[in-house]
Amino acid sequence: MPTYEYHCKACGEKFETMISSAEKNKVRCPACQSRNLQEVYGFNVIKGSSQAEVCQSCPAAEKGCRLAN
Ligand SMILES: [Zn+2]
């Protein structure tokens, strides 16, 4: 199951959640229960990009690969 990262526009909370794509519209902020969320696109959820796989196995990833930040 993919991990999605969200930024809550209501209170500023940032959190990650593991959900299926069908549940994306049910996500709420764990801090304030708001649904006013901005999805943060990380390197592991880039769709249709081979860069994601390259980056995850990249030896530089743990040292701060720019794609991971
Ligand atoms: Zn919130």
Side-chain angles (χ1 to χ4, degrees), residues 8 11 13 29 32:
C8 176
C11 74
E13 178 82 359
C29 171
C32 72

Side-chain angles (χ1 to χ4, degrees), residues 8-13 15 29-34 36-37:
C8 176
K9 290 193 251 183
C11 74
E13 178 82 359
F15 62 97
C29 171
C32 72
Q33 306 301 310
S34 171
N36 189 9
L37 305 174

Side-chain angles (χ1 to χ4, degrees), residues 17-62:
T17 185
M18 276 209 323
I19 49 167
S20 68
S21 57
E23 293 177 302
K24 284 178 76 173
N25 60 352
K26 298 180 184 173
V27 178
R28 286 171 182 264
C29 171
C32 72
Q33 306 301 310
S34 171
R35 285 184 172 178
N36 189 9
L37 305 174
Q38 170 81 51
E39 187 171 345
V40 180
Y41 291 96
F43 72 96
N44 58 339
V45 294
I46 298 171
K47 288 174 182 164
S49 170
S50 60
Q51 284 187 320
E53 290 178 12
V54 170
C55 191
Q56 285 177 339
S57 60
C58 168
E62 290 183 7

